[in-house]
Amino acid sequence: MKEQYITTSYGRIHLYSRGNGPKALVLLHGAGCDSAMLSWREIMEAFPNDYTIYAPDHLGYGLSDKPTNLIGTAFYSTHIGCLKEIVDALGLDQFALVGLSMGGAIAIGFALQYPRRVKYLIPVASWGLSPRFPFQKVANWYIYKTNGTLYQYNWLVKRKHLAKYFIGYSLIGNRKNITAPLIDEVLQACARDGAGKSMQDFQRSSCSKTGTLPFYSDELKRLRMPVIFFAGEKDPLVPLKDIKAALKKVPNGKLYIFPKCKHWAIKENPHAFVEIIQKYY
């Protein structure tokens, strides 16, 4: 695994890469305590070397710069603009773009703005496809009127049993896959400087009084490249029904469902995910 920094007009981005082949993939991680390695380590290691895989830490995450004002209406346009500068610096003219959760919303937004650059779009448990939060009014109050997210992260880093419960409730379907090393990795990520604030910034940039931001439903028909959706059958964060609804709106789409899995379905099934991508690219 190689590491490098790319300087953008938005800040310095830390980037992992692996392989040296002509097929380029860019992997975008999710929100909260996430980072490139937490989401994508197993996936990057599973791809053969005839691919070149890139995985940046988003602004505010991992070892990338952490701006203090990354919140609000410019949240997604900033991440999309930053991604544009990253792929330009890497010299990538066309590539497959994979995005998990928040990263999926960034990937879809990028593909809508720069469709010629994206050879395959691969949203994984993607944000941007669900019209509402569960319990929308309560969620809006919690996100904007409290600092509950910050307190939640402080609780998690001190209580392994809470971290294990959270992972089992929302991220991992098969409890046998909730190993002690995984719990420790999540706890370390939650304890990282700014992890709670990064999640709160995402939430406060992604929730309105009546729904979610962004919600790409009316724009999906403009995606002319092949779109390969992935979903966990039991994902409580991005319901399968929302992804099925999105599938109907893209001209050239496929959907792969991992049975009994939740939000981190690909982390539970990295080799299956890679095998499916290899069928297309």
Side-chain angles (χ1 to χ4, degrees), residues 41-204:
R41 178 185 292 107
E42 295 89 349
I43 298 294
M44 293 183 78
E45 292 173 349
F47 268 105
N49 282 332
D50 58 341
Y51 290 81
T52 302
I53 315 297
Y54 301 96
D57 288 327
H58 293 306
L59 283 171
Y61 292 82
L63 299 177
S64 291
D65 281 354
K66 296 174 174 58
T68 58
N69 59 345
L70 186 56
I71 187 172
T73 56
F75 182 85
Y76 287 98
S77 61
T78 296
H79 281 298
I80 291 167
C82 188
L83 175 59
K84 170 69 161 50
E85 293 189 24
I86 292 168
V87 295
D88 285 350
L90 293 170
L92 300 180
D93 182 52
Q94 279 198 320
F95 51 92
L97 181 57
V98 186
L100 168 67
S101 196
M102 179 188 79
I106 297 168
I108 294 170
F110 182 93
L112 288 166
Q113 287 191 38
Y114 307 101
R116 188 190 64 81
R117 306 288 294 271
V118 181
K119 196 165 186 179
Y120 290 88
L121 175 64
I122 306 169
V124 179
S126 180
W127 190 249
L129 305 178
S130 296
R132 286 174 296 279
F133 279 80
F135 309 105
Q136 179 70 42
K137 290 183 179 180
V138 175
N140 183 269
W141 171 83
Y142 178 83
I143 289 168
Y144 288 102
K145 300 298 184 181
T146 80
N147 283 315
T149 297
L150 302 182
Y151 298 141
Q152 176 186 347
Y153 274 69
N154 290 334
W155 294 333
L156 282 174
V157 298
K158 299 173 184 177
R159 296 167 175 84
K160 276 193 175 184
H161 67 282
L162 285 180
K164 183 177 181 179
Y165 171 81
F166 170 75
I167 294 168
Y169 173 77
S170 60
L171 300 177
I172 299 292
N174 186 346
R175 293 189 176 275
K176 291 181 180 179
N177 292 327
I178 306 175
T179 62
L182 176 62
I183 295 171
D184 288 342
E185 187 176 17
V186 170
L187 286 171
Q188 290 170 14
C190 289
R192 189 182 297 126
D193 288 345
K197 184 180 184 303
S198 294
M199 184 59 167
Q200 188 177 72
D201 288 352
F202 160 72
Q203 291 174 332
R204 290 182 173 178

Side-chain angles (χ1 to χ4, degrees), residues 15-26:
L15 179 86
Y16 298 90
S17 63
R18 185 177 181 274
N20 53 14
K23 302 174 185 178
L25 287 95
V26 177

